[in-house]
Amino acid sequence: MSDTTMKRKGRCFVFGDNVNTDEIIPARYLSTSDPAELALYCMEDARSGFGRRDDLAGSIMIAGENFGCGSSREHAPISIKASGIGCVIAKSFARIFLRNSFNIGLPIIELPEADQFGEGDEVEIDFDRGLVRNLTKNKEFTFNPYPEFLKKVIDYGGWLSYAKAELMKEGA
């Protein structure tokens, strides 16, 4: 796989502080690990019907402090990624949610200015340059650019796929 430019552009869906994993994917829907099924119930307890919208592809989820707090289930970032969300931007993430997101290839960005985005704002993200542009409000914010390694993990769809591909290159 070659070096890639990583960008996302989409419409914002805004959530608040302390969104926990039970709100992201309620426990009553955990009888499956099928990403497509989990996507249907993404954010169900925070915004009923959210995962069944037909306009989520490529959109950007915005949140406040401590996004993904609660249990350590990987189902939460899987449901977000499978719903079509292109990136999650939050003021801060729970540590285990952050790790799980990168492990499954869901791009996330910690941005102290996450409250500068409104529902429906158009956003453009340049992961190489570390720029988030709110095109609706004509504002620009910076974050630490993704290192090449992390871009590859996301490009491969997660850590496991990346590791397998790298092992294949080495002939293991």
Side-chain angles (χ1 to χ4, degrees), residues 5 9 14-15 18-19 22-23 34 38-39 55 64 66 76-78 85 98 110-111 115 126 130 145 149 151 161 168:
T5 300
K9 185 176 180 181
V14 179
F15 295 87
N18 301 306
V19 175
D22 287 322
E23 291 173 293
D34 175 38
L38 292 170
D55 61 349
N66 202 28
I78 289 170
I85 299 291
L98 183 139
E110 282 193 345
L111 191 69
D115 58 358
D126 185 330
F149 162 76
K151 290 190 299 184
S161 298
M168 294 298 287

mmCIF file of all heavy atoms in Angstrom, residues 5 9 14-15 18-19 22-23 34 38-39 55 64 66 76-78 85 98 110-111 115 126 130 145 149 151 161 168:
data_model
loop_
_atom_site.group_PDB
_atom_site.id
_atom_site.type_symbol
_atom_site.label_atom_id
_atom_site.label_comp_id
_atom_site.label_asym_id
_atom_site.label_seq_id
_atom_site.Cartn_x
_atom_site.Cartn_y
_atom_site.Cartn_z
ATOM 1 N N THR A 5 -3.006 10.300 0.933
ATOM 2 C CA THR A 5 -3.476 11.544 1.513
ATOM 3 C C THR A 5 -4.810 11.237 2.161
ATOM 4 O O THR A 5 -5.680 10.628 1.543
ATOM 5 C CB THR A 5 -3.651 12.615 0.415
ATOM 6 O OG1 THR A 5 -2.393 12.819 -0.210
ATOM 7 C CG2 THR A 5 -4.157 13.895 0.995
ATOM 8 N N LYS A 9 -14.660 14.955 4.276
ATOM 9 C CA LYS A 9 -15.523 16.131 4.163
ATOM 10 C C LYS A 9 -16.941 15.653 4.370
ATOM 11 O O LYS A 9 -17.363 14.655 3.776
ATOM 12 C CB LYS A 9 -15.380 16.787 2.791
ATOM 13 C CG LYS A 9 -16.157 18.079 2.657
ATOM 14 C CD LYS A 9 -15.894 18.722 1.304
ATOM 15 C CE LYS A 9 -16.668 20.005 1.156
ATOM 16 N NZ LYS A 9 -16.440 20.625 -0.153
ATOM 17 N N VAL A 14 -24.076 16.730 15.872
ATOM 18 C CA VAL A 14 -23.498 17.178 17.139
ATOM 19 C C VAL A 14 -24.138 16.475 18.335
ATOM 20 O O VAL A 14 -25.368 16.392 18.428
ATOM 21 C CB VAL A 14 -23.629 18.711 17.289
ATOM 22 C CG1 VAL A 14 -23.053 19.181 18.615
ATOM 23 C CG2 VAL A 14 -22.936 19.418 16.125
ATOM 24 N N PHE A 15 -23.270 16.007 19.225
ATOM 25 C CA PHE A 15 -23.680 15.383 20.479
ATOM 26 C C PHE A 15 -22.964 16.107 21.617
ATOM 27 O O PHE A 15 -22.030 16.866 21.373
ATOM 28 C CB PHE A 15 -23.347 13.887 20.457
ATOM 29 C CG PHE A 15 -24.122 13.138 19.419
ATOM 30 C CD1 PHE A 15 -23.653 13.036 18.111
ATOM 31 C CD2 PHE A 15 -25.346 12.570 19.724
ATOM 32 C CE1 PHE A 15 -24.381 12.371 17.139
ATOM 33 C CE2 PHE A 15 -26.087 11.902 18.752
ATOM 34 C CZ PHE A 15 -25.599 11.801 17.466
ATOM 35 N N ASN A 18 -19.836 13.583 27.746
ATOM 36 C CA ASN A 18 -20.003 12.311 28.449
ATOM 37 C C ASN A 18 -20.939 11.331 27.744
ATOM 38 O O ASN A 18 -21.727 10.640 28.391
ATOM 39 C CB ASN A 18 -20.474 12.558 29.889
ATOM 40 C CG ASN A 18 -19.484 13.411 30.648
ATOM 41 O OD1 ASN A 18 -18.301 13.095 30.709
ATOM 42 N ND2 ASN A 18 -19.959 14.510 31.204
ATOM 43 N N VAL A 19 -20.856 11.278 26.434
ATOM 44 C CA VAL A 19 -21.630 10.285 25.683
ATOM 45 C C VAL A 19 -20.963 8.939 25.938
ATOM 46 O O VAL A 19 -19.802 8.730 25.593
ATOM 47 C CB VAL A 19 -21.660 10.608 24.174
ATOM 48 C CG1 VAL A 19 -22.353 9.495 23.401
ATOM 49 C CG2 VAL A 19 -22.343 11.943 23.929
ATOM 50 N N ASP A 22 -22.930 2.960 26.190
ATOM 51 C CA ASP A 22 -24.310 2.466 26.184
ATOM 52 C C ASP A 22 -25.224 3.359 25.354
ATOM 53 O O ASP A 22 -26.224 2.895 24.820
ATOM 54 C CB ASP A 22 -24.857 2.359 27.608
ATOM 55 C CG ASP A 22 -24.253 1.188 28.360
ATOM 56 O OD1 ASP A 22 -24.045 0.131 27.733
ATOM 57 O OD2 ASP A 22 -23.982 1.336 29.553
ATOM 58 N N GLU A 23 -24.892 4.637 25.247
ATOM 59 C CA GLU A 23 -25.650 5.527 24.365
ATOM 60 C C GLU A 23 -25.228 5.313 22.902
ATOM 61 O O GLU A 23 -26.049 5.419 22.002
ATOM 62 C CB GLU A 23 -25.428 6.984 24.755
ATOM 63 C CG GLU A 23 -26.051 7.357 26.078
ATOM 64 C CD GLU A 23 -25.669 8.746 26.512
ATOM 65 O OE1 GLU A 23 -24.482 8.973 26.807
ATOM 66 O OE2 GLU A 23 -26.573 9.606 26.551
ATOM 67 N N ASP A 34 -22.168 -8.243 14.134
ATOM 68 C CA ASP A 34 -22.218 -7.873 12.726
ATOM 69 C C ASP A 34 -22.235 -6.345 12.605
ATOM 70 O O ASP A 34 -23.176 -5.693 13.077
ATOM 71 C CB ASP A 34 -23.474 -8.470 12.084
ATOM 72 C CG ASP A 34 -23.650 -8.022 10.652
ATOM 73 O OD1 ASP A 34 -22.637 -7.901 9.927
ATOM 74 O OD2 ASP A 34 -24.806 -7.784 10.251
ATOM 75 N N LEU A 38 -25.093 -3.597 13.880
ATOM 76 C CA LEU A 38 -24.765 -2.626 14.924
ATOM 77 C C LEU A 38 -24.997 -1.195 14.436
ATOM 78 O O LEU A 38 -25.456 -0.341 15.188
ATOM 79 C CB LEU A 38 -23.320 -2.802 15.391
ATOM 80 C CG LEU A 38 -23.008 -4.090 16.149
ATOM 81 C CD1 LEU A 38 -21.506 -4.256 16.329
ATOM 82 C CD2 LEU A 38 -23.732 -4.128 17.479
ATOM 83 N N ALA A 39 -24.689 -0.947 13.163
ATOM 84 C CA ALA A 39 -24.855 0.395 12.595
ATOM 85 C C ALA A 39 -26.298 0.884 12.697
ATOM 86 O O ALA A 39 -26.542 2.071 12.912
ATOM 87 C CB ALA A 39 -24.399 0.408 11.135
ATOM 88 N N ASP A 55 -28.466 9.464 5.370
ATOM 89 C CA ASP A 55 -27.534 10.542 5.024
ATOM 90 C C ASP A 55 -26.292 10.565 5.912
ATOM 91 O O ASP A 55 -25.662 11.599 6.076
ATOM 92 C CB ASP A 55 -28.247 11.890 5.073
ATOM 93 C CG ASP A 55 -28.791 12.228 6.455
ATOM 94 O OD1 ASP A 55 -28.816 11.345 7.340
ATOM 95 O OD2 ASP A 55 -29.200 13.388 6.650
ATOM 96 N N GLY A 64 -18.536 16.593 22.813
ATOM 97 C CA GLY A 64 -17.835 17.372 23.826
ATOM 98 C C GLY A 64 -16.763 16.555 24.530
ATOM 99 O O GLY A 64 -16.013 15.802 23.920
ATOM 100 N N ASN A 66 -15.057 13.718 27.026
ATOM 101 C CA ASN A 66 -15.166 12.344 27.510
ATOM 102 C C ASN A 66 -16.044 11.456 26.632
ATOM 103 O O ASN A 66 -16.783 10.611 27.126
ATOM 104 C CB ASN A 66 -15.669 12.357 28.959
ATOM 105 C CG ASN A 66 -15.344 11.108 29.712
ATOM 106 O OD1 ASN A 66 -14.364 10.426 29.431
ATOM 107 N ND2 ASN A 66 -16.174 10.786 30.685
ATOM 108 N N ALA A 76 -18.941 -0.146 20.185
ATOM 109 C CA ALA A 76 -19.267 1.284 20.064
ATOM 110 C C ALA A 76 -18.599 1.914 18.841
ATOM 111 O O ALA A 76 -19.300 2.439 17.963
ATOM 112 C CB ALA A 76 -18.915 2.020 21.355
ATOM 113 N N PRO A 77 -17.267 1.878 18.712
ATOM 114 C CA PRO A 77 -16.692 2.471 17.502
ATOM 115 C C PRO A 77 -17.050 1.699 16.237
ATOM 116 O O PRO A 77 -17.165 2.302 15.169
ATOM 117 C CB PRO A 77 -15.180 2.463 17.769
ATOM 118 C CG PRO A 77 -14.962 1.498 18.865
ATOM 119 C CD PRO A 77 -16.231 1.470 19.665
ATOM 120 N N ILE A 78 -17.273 0.388 16.362
ATOM 121 C CA ILE A 78 -17.681 -0.388 15.184
ATOM 122 C C ILE A 78 -19.022 0.112 14.666
ATOM 123 O O ILE A 78 -19.210 0.278 13.454
ATOM 124 C CB ILE A 78 -17.737 -1.899 15.504
ATOM 125 C CG1 ILE A 78 -16.329 -2.455 15.692
ATOM 126 C CG2 ILE A 78 -18.477 -2.666 14.399
ATOM 127 C CD1 ILE A 78 -16.277 -3.873 16.242
ATOM 128 N N ILE A 85 -20.163 7.061 9.345
ATOM 129 C CA ILE A 85 -19.509 8.256 9.884
ATOM 130 C C ILE A 85 -18.040 8.238 9.449
ATOM 131 O O ILE A 85 -17.345 7.243 9.622
ATOM 132 C CB ILE A 85 -19.615 8.299 11.425
ATOM 133 C CG1 ILE A 85 -21.074 8.349 11.883
ATOM 134 C CG2 ILE A 85 -18.791 9.441 12.009
ATOM 135 C CD1 ILE A 85 -21.810 9.618 11.582
ATOM 136 N N LEU A 98 -10.720 5.596 22.542
ATOM 137 C CA LEU A 98 -9.702 6.087 21.620
ATOM 138 C C LEU A 98 -8.908 4.911 21.039
ATOM 139 O O LEU A 98 -8.744 4.797 19.824
ATOM 140 C CB LEU A 98 -8.766 7.059 22.355
ATOM 141 C CG LEU A 98 -7.684 7.712 21.523
ATOM 142 C CD1 LEU A 98 -7.551 9.175 21.923
ATOM 143 C CD2 LEU A 98 -6.356 7.022 21.711
ATOM 144 N N GLU A 110 -9.077 14.673 18.647
ATOM 145 C CA GLU A 110 -9.331 15.481 19.839
ATOM 146 C C GLU A 110 -9.113 16.928 19.460
ATOM 147 O O GLU A 110 -8.055 17.297 18.948
ATOM 148 C CB GLU A 110 -8.403 15.074 20.985
ATOM 149 C CG GLU A 110 -8.847 13.815 21.661
ATOM 150 C CD GLU A 110 -8.144 13.557 22.981
ATOM 151 O OE1 GLU A 110 -7.118 14.193 23.270
ATOM 152 O OE2 GLU A 110 -8.637 12.695 23.714
ATOM 153 N N LEU A 111 -10.146 17.744 19.678
ATOM 154 C CA LEU A 111 -10.099 19.145 19.291
ATOM 155 C C LEU A 111 -10.776 19.981 20.367
ATOM 156 O O LEU A 111 -11.995 19.897 20.535
ATOM 157 C CB LEU A 111 -10.810 19.330 17.937
ATOM 158 C CG LEU A 111 -10.637 20.668 17.252
ATOM 159 C CD1 LEU A 111 -9.205 20.857 16.767
ATOM 160 C CD2 LEU A 111 -11.599 20.789 16.079
ATOM 161 N N ASP A 115 -16.685 22.641 20.247
ATOM 162 C CA ASP A 115 -17.947 23.365 20.454
ATOM 163 C C ASP A 115 -18.162 24.472 19.425
ATOM 164 O O ASP A 115 -19.186 25.150 19.441
ATOM 165 C CB ASP A 115 -18.027 23.925 21.876
ATOM 166 C CG ASP A 115 -16.882 24.861 22.224
ATOM 167 O OD1 ASP A 115 -15.973 25.076 21.398
ATOM 168 O OD2 ASP A 115 -16.893 25.374 23.360
ATOM 169 N N ASP A 126 -8.238 17.633 6.942
ATOM 170 C CA ASP A 126 -7.010 17.235 6.273
ATOM 171 C C ASP A 126 -6.104 16.624 7.343
ATOM 172 O O ASP A 126 -5.504 17.340 8.147
ATOM 173 C CB ASP A 126 -6.340 18.444 5.615
ATOM 174 C CG ASP A 126 -5.114 18.073 4.809
ATOM 175 O OD1 ASP A 126 -4.430 17.092 5.153
ATOM 176 O OD2 ASP A 126 -4.821 18.796 3.837
ATOM 177 N N GLY A 130 -3.156 18.363 9.515
ATOM 178 C CA GLY A 130 -3.688 18.632 10.845
ATOM 179 C C GLY A 130 -4.634 19.821 10.851
ATOM 180 O O GLY A 130 -4.579 20.657 11.754
ATOM 181 N N PRO A 145 -1.144 16.335 13.224
ATOM 182 C CA PRO A 145 -1.391 15.499 12.048
ATOM 183 C C PRO A 145 -1.174 14.019 12.370
ATOM 184 O O PRO A 145 -0.384 13.672 13.239
ATOM 185 C CB PRO A 145 -0.348 15.976 11.039
ATOM 186 C CG PRO A 145 0.085 17.314 11.510
ATOM 187 C CD PRO A 145 -0.077 17.307 12.997
ATOM 188 N N PHE A 149 2.150 5.952 9.838
ATOM 189 C CA PHE A 149 1.775 4.633 10.357
ATOM 190 C C PHE A 149 0.279 4.577 10.681
ATOM 191 O O PHE A 149 -0.415 3.643 10.294
ATOM 192 C CB PHE A 149 2.613 4.330 11.612
ATOM 193 C CG PHE A 149 2.047 3.242 12.473
ATOM 194 C CD1 PHE A 149 2.165 1.916 12.091
ATOM 195 C CD2 PHE A 149 1.383 3.544 13.646
ATOM 196 C CE1 PHE A 149 1.645 0.907 12.884
ATOM 197 C CE2 PHE A 149 0.860 2.545 14.435
ATOM 198 C CZ PHE A 149 0.985 1.223 14.056
ATOM 199 N N LYS A 151 -2.140 6.531 9.594
ATOM 200 C CA LYS A 151 -2.922 6.650 8.362
ATOM 201 C C LYS A 151 -3.026 5.299 7.664
ATOM 202 O O LYS A 151 -4.078 4.946 7.145
ATOM 203 C CB LYS A 151 -2.313 7.703 7.427
ATOM 204 C CG LYS A 151 -2.471 9.122 7.927
ATOM 205 C CD LYS A 151 -2.087 10.148 6.896
ATOM 206 C CE LYS A 151 -0.666 10.048 6.469
ATOM 207 N NZ LYS A 151 -0.244 11.083 5.533
ATOM 208 N N SER A 161 -6.006 -5.839 10.150
ATOM 209 C CA SER A 161 -5.781 -5.888 8.697
ATOM 210 C C SER A 161 -4.419 -5.329 8.329
ATOM 211 O O SER A 161 -3.727 -5.862 7.454
ATOM 212 C CB SER A 161 -6.873 -5.107 7.967
ATOM 213 O OG SER A 161 -8.125 -5.686 8.202
ATOM 214 N N MET A 168 2.428 -10.204 5.509
ATOM 215 C CA MET A 168 2.453 -10.772 4.154
ATOM 216 C C MET A 168 3.610 -10.173 3.344
ATOM 217 O O MET A 168 4.246 -10.868 2.566
ATOM 218 C CB MET A 168 1.125 -10.546 3.440
ATOM 219 C CG MET A 168 -0.038 -11.298 4.056
ATOM 220 S SD MET A 168 0.158 -13.076 4.008
ATOM 221 C CE MET A 168 -0.106 -13.370 2.275
#
